[in-house]
Amino acid sequence: MNPFLDVALRSLAVYLFMFAAIRVFGKNQLSQLNAGDIVLLLLISNAVQNAMVGSNVSLEGGLVAALVLFVANFIVKKIIFTNPKIKSFVESDPIILIKDGVVDNVKMKEQEVSFDELEEAVREHGVEKIVDVKLAVLEVDGNISVISIDKETGSIKFSRRRRKFPRKSHKF
């Protein structure tokens, strides 16, 4: 087999495996990396490097591997953007945690969001009590959005909070 085709196919296989593994293990967003996540990514990249290029350690082999990864990522993003069914399959949907002051304990347990964490998010948004929350949503990216009604002005207030932990993924 052509050595560059071999590198391309190996790189594509590793990309698809890593994409699926990240999705299965709940890391559907990587915008908030902690030290453990960074170490894991570094070790994984080192572990799969040989699987991608095999015995081809030439500059060209490395460039082919990188190009395949960029192209595969570009294609996956385009497919996700243009196909709502695939997007819903690959990415989690937003989850309503509070509606009209009522906490959905089932969804909180499924997403492994503690009551203390939810209360903290509500307070960080300037809302004193959960009963004052019109809507709290665990967003696709792991943020918690809070919509409340300002008692003084009667206007709707919207804000988001960064979570310390990624969402739990139950799809794929």
PDB file of all heavy atoms in Angstrom, residues 70-83:
ATOM      1  N   PHE A  70      -7.260  17.525  10.064  1.00  0.00           N
ATOM      2  CA  PHE A  70      -7.928  18.792   9.792  1.00  0.00           C
ATOM      3  C   PHE A  70      -9.118  18.596   8.847  1.00  0.00           C
ATOM      4  O   PHE A  70     -10.200  19.137   9.074  1.00  0.00           O
ATOM      5  CB  PHE A  70      -6.954  19.817   9.192  1.00  0.00           C
ATOM      6  CG  PHE A  70      -6.136  20.534  10.212  1.00  0.00           C
ATOM      7  CD1 PHE A  70      -4.764  20.343  10.254  1.00  0.00           C
ATOM      8  CD2 PHE A  70      -6.709  21.409  11.115  1.00  0.00           C
ATOM      9  CE1 PHE A  70      -3.982  21.006  11.186  1.00  0.00           C
ATOM     10  CE2 PHE A  70      -5.947  22.077  12.053  1.00  0.00           C
ATOM     11  CZ  PHE A  70      -4.577  21.880  12.093  1.00  0.00           C
ATOM     12  N   VAL A  71      -8.919  17.824   7.784  1.00  0.00           N
ATOM     13  CA  VAL A  71      -9.988  17.592   6.812  1.00  0.00           C
ATOM     14  C   VAL A  71     -11.143  16.819   7.450  1.00  0.00           C
ATOM     15  O   VAL A  71     -12.315  17.173   7.267  1.00  0.00           O
ATOM     16  CB  VAL A  71      -9.448  16.869   5.557  1.00  0.00           C
ATOM     17  CG1 VAL A  71     -10.581  16.404   4.659  1.00  0.00           C
ATOM     18  CG2 VAL A  71      -8.495  17.780   4.794  1.00  0.00           C
ATOM     19  N   ALA A  72     -10.825  15.781   8.207  1.00  0.00           N
ATOM     20  CA  ALA A  72     -11.874  14.992   8.871  1.00  0.00           C
ATOM     21  C   ALA A  72     -12.678  15.878   9.824  1.00  0.00           C
ATOM     22  O   ALA A  72     -13.917  15.814   9.852  1.00  0.00           O
ATOM     23  CB  ALA A  72     -11.260  13.815   9.629  1.00  0.00           C
ATOM     24  N   ASN A  73     -11.998  16.707  10.591  1.00  0.00           N
ATOM     25  CA  ASN A  73     -12.689  17.598  11.522  1.00  0.00           C
ATOM     26  C   ASN A  73     -13.566  18.606  10.775  1.00  0.00           C
ATOM     27  O   ASN A  73     -14.700  18.874  11.178  1.00  0.00           O
ATOM     28  CB  ASN A  73     -11.674  18.318  12.405  1.00  0.00           C
ATOM     29  CG  ASN A  73     -12.323  18.965  13.584  1.00  0.00           C
ATOM     30  OD1 ASN A  73     -13.009  18.318  14.363  1.00  0.00           O
ATOM     31  ND2 ASN A  73     -12.114  20.259  13.737  1.00  0.00           N
ATOM     32  N   PHE A  74     -13.066  19.138   9.672  1.00  0.00           N
ATOM     33  CA  PHE A  74     -13.827  20.076   8.859  1.00  0.00           C
ATOM     34  C   PHE A  74     -15.095  19.415   8.327  1.00  0.00           C
ATOM     35  O   PHE A  74     -16.193  19.987   8.395  1.00  0.00           O
ATOM     36  CB  PHE A  74     -12.951  20.576   7.697  1.00  0.00           C
ATOM     37  CG  PHE A  74     -13.663  21.485   6.748  1.00  0.00           C
ATOM     38  CD1 PHE A  74     -13.841  22.824   7.054  1.00  0.00           C
ATOM     39  CD2 PHE A  74     -14.149  20.997   5.541  1.00  0.00           C
ATOM     40  CE1 PHE A  74     -14.507  23.677   6.172  1.00  0.00           C
ATOM     41  CE2 PHE A  74     -14.811  21.831   4.661  1.00  0.00           C
ATOM     42  CZ  PHE A  74     -14.993  23.171   4.975  1.00  0.00           C
ATOM     43  N   ILE A  75     -14.965  18.196   7.815  1.00  0.00           N
ATOM     44  CA  ILE A  75     -16.120  17.475   7.254  1.00  0.00           C
ATOM     45  C   ILE A  75     -17.139  17.156   8.344  1.00  0.00           C
ATOM     46  O   ILE A  75     -18.343  17.342   8.147  1.00  0.00           O
ATOM     47  CB  ILE A  75     -15.658  16.196   6.524  1.00  0.00           C
ATOM     48  CG1 ILE A  75     -14.903  16.585   5.249  1.00  0.00           C
ATOM     49  CG2 ILE A  75     -16.840  15.292   6.200  1.00  0.00           C
ATOM     50  CD1 ILE A  75     -14.184  15.422   4.574  1.00  0.00           C
ATOM     51  N   VAL A  76     -16.674  16.695   9.494  1.00  0.00           N
ATOM     52  CA  VAL A  76     -17.597  16.380  10.596  1.00  0.00           C
ATOM     53  C   VAL A  76     -18.357  17.629  11.023  1.00  0.00           C
ATOM     54  O   VAL A  76     -19.576  17.594  11.223  1.00  0.00           O
ATOM     55  CB  VAL A  76     -16.842  15.744  11.790  1.00  0.00           C
ATOM     56  CG1 VAL A  76     -17.701  15.714  13.042  1.00  0.00           C
ATOM     57  CG2 VAL A  76     -16.393  14.334  11.436  1.00  0.00           C
ATOM     58  N   LYS A  77     -17.670  18.755  11.141  1.00  0.00           N
ATOM     59  CA  LYS A  77     -18.344  20.000  11.530  1.00  0.00           C
ATOM     60  C   LYS A  77     -19.374  20.421  10.489  1.00  0.00           C
ATOM     61  O   LYS A  77     -20.463  20.889  10.837  1.00  0.00           O
ATOM     62  CB  LYS A  77     -17.332  21.113  11.754  1.00  0.00           C
ATOM     63  CG  LYS A  77     -16.595  20.967  13.063  1.00  0.00           C
ATOM     64  CD  LYS A  77     -15.698  22.153  13.315  1.00  0.00           C
ATOM     65  CE  LYS A  77     -15.082  22.042  14.688  1.00  0.00           C
ATOM     66  NZ  LYS A  77     -14.338  23.243  15.048  1.00  0.00           N
ATOM     67  N   LYS A  78     -19.045  20.278   9.211  1.00  0.00           N
ATOM     68  CA  LYS A  78     -20.002  20.629   8.150  1.00  0.00           C
ATOM     69  C   LYS A  78     -21.229  19.730   8.213  1.00  0.00           C
ATOM     70  O   LYS A  78     -22.361  20.196   8.071  1.00  0.00           O
ATOM     71  CB  LYS A  78     -19.349  20.503   6.768  1.00  0.00           C
ATOM     72  CG  LYS A  78     -18.400  21.608   6.444  1.00  0.00           C
ATOM     73  CD  LYS A  78     -19.144  22.900   6.208  1.00  0.00           C
ATOM     74  CE  LYS A  78     -18.174  23.963   5.751  1.00  0.00           C
ATOM     75  NZ  LYS A  78     -18.795  25.270   5.685  1.00  0.00           N
ATOM     76  N   ILE A  79     -21.024  18.438   8.408  1.00  0.00           N
ATOM     77  CA  ILE A  79     -22.142  17.492   8.487  1.00  0.00           C
ATOM     78  C   ILE A  79     -23.026  17.823   9.689  1.00  0.00           C
ATOM     79  O   ILE A  79     -24.257  17.840   9.585  1.00  0.00           O
ATOM     80  CB  ILE A  79     -21.626  16.042   8.558  1.00  0.00           C
ATOM     81  CG1 ILE A  79     -21.001  15.640   7.213  1.00  0.00           C
ATOM     82  CG2 ILE A  79     -22.746  15.080   8.938  1.00  0.00           C
ATOM     83  CD1 ILE A  79     -20.253  14.321   7.240  1.00  0.00           C
ATOM     84  N   ILE A  80     -22.405  18.084  10.825  1.00  0.00           N
ATOM     85  CA  ILE A  80     -23.170  18.428  12.026  1.00  0.00           C
ATOM     86  C   ILE A  80     -23.962  19.712  11.805  1.00  0.00           C
ATOM     87  O   ILE A  80     -25.122  19.820  12.210  1.00  0.00           O
ATOM     88  CB  ILE A  80     -22.225  18.554  13.250  1.00  0.00           C
ATOM     89  CG1 ILE A  80     -21.704  17.183  13.648  1.00  0.00           C
ATOM     90  CG2 ILE A  80     -22.926  19.224  14.422  1.00  0.00           C
ATOM     91  CD1 ILE A  80     -20.599  17.228  14.690  1.00  0.00           C
ATOM     92  N   PHE A  81     -23.355  20.693  11.155  1.00  0.00           N
ATOM     93  CA  PHE A  81     -24.011  21.975  10.928  1.00  0.00           C
ATOM     94  C   PHE A  81     -25.201  21.850   9.975  1.00  0.00           C
ATOM     95  O   PHE A  81     -26.213  22.520  10.147  1.00  0.00           O
ATOM     96  CB  PHE A  81     -23.007  22.991  10.377  1.00  0.00           C
ATOM     97  CG  PHE A  81     -23.587  24.344  10.162  1.00  0.00           C
ATOM     98  CD1 PHE A  81     -23.865  25.183  11.238  1.00  0.00           C
ATOM     99  CD2 PHE A  81     -23.872  24.799   8.881  1.00  0.00           C
ATOM    100  CE1 PHE A  81     -24.411  26.440  11.045  1.00  0.00           C
ATOM    101  CE2 PHE A  81     -24.421  26.057   8.680  1.00  0.00           C
ATOM    102  CZ  PHE A  81     -24.690  26.882   9.758  1.00  0.00           C
ATOM    103  N   THR A  82     -25.085  21.001   8.971  1.00  0.00           N
ATOM    104  CA  THR A  82     -26.130  20.926   7.947  1.00  0.00           C
ATOM    105  C   THR A  82     -27.198  19.881   8.224  1.00  0.00           C
ATOM    106  O   THR A  82     -28.241  19.906   7.585  1.00  0.00           O
ATOM    107  CB  THR A  82     -25.513  20.638   6.563  1.00  0.00           C
ATOM    108  OG1 THR A  82     -24.778  19.411   6.623  1.00  0.00           O
ATOM    109  CG2 THR A  82     -24.606  21.766   6.124  1.00  0.00           C
ATOM    110  N   ASN A  83     -26.972  18.969   9.168  1.00  0.00           N
ATOM    111  CA  ASN A  83     -27.937  17.902   9.412  1.00  0.00           C
ATOM    112  C   ASN A  83     -28.366  17.890  10.883  1.00  0.00           C
ATOM    113  O   ASN A  83     -27.629  17.421  11.740  1.00  0.00           O
ATOM    114  CB  ASN A  83     -27.328  16.552   9.026  1.00  0.00           C
ATOM    115  CG  ASN A  83     -28.358  15.457   8.996  1.00  0.00           C
ATOM    116  OD1 ASN A  83     -29.262  15.399   9.810  1.00  0.00           O
ATOM    117  ND2 ASN A  83     -28.207  14.550   8.038  1.00  0.00           N
TER     118      ASN A  83
END
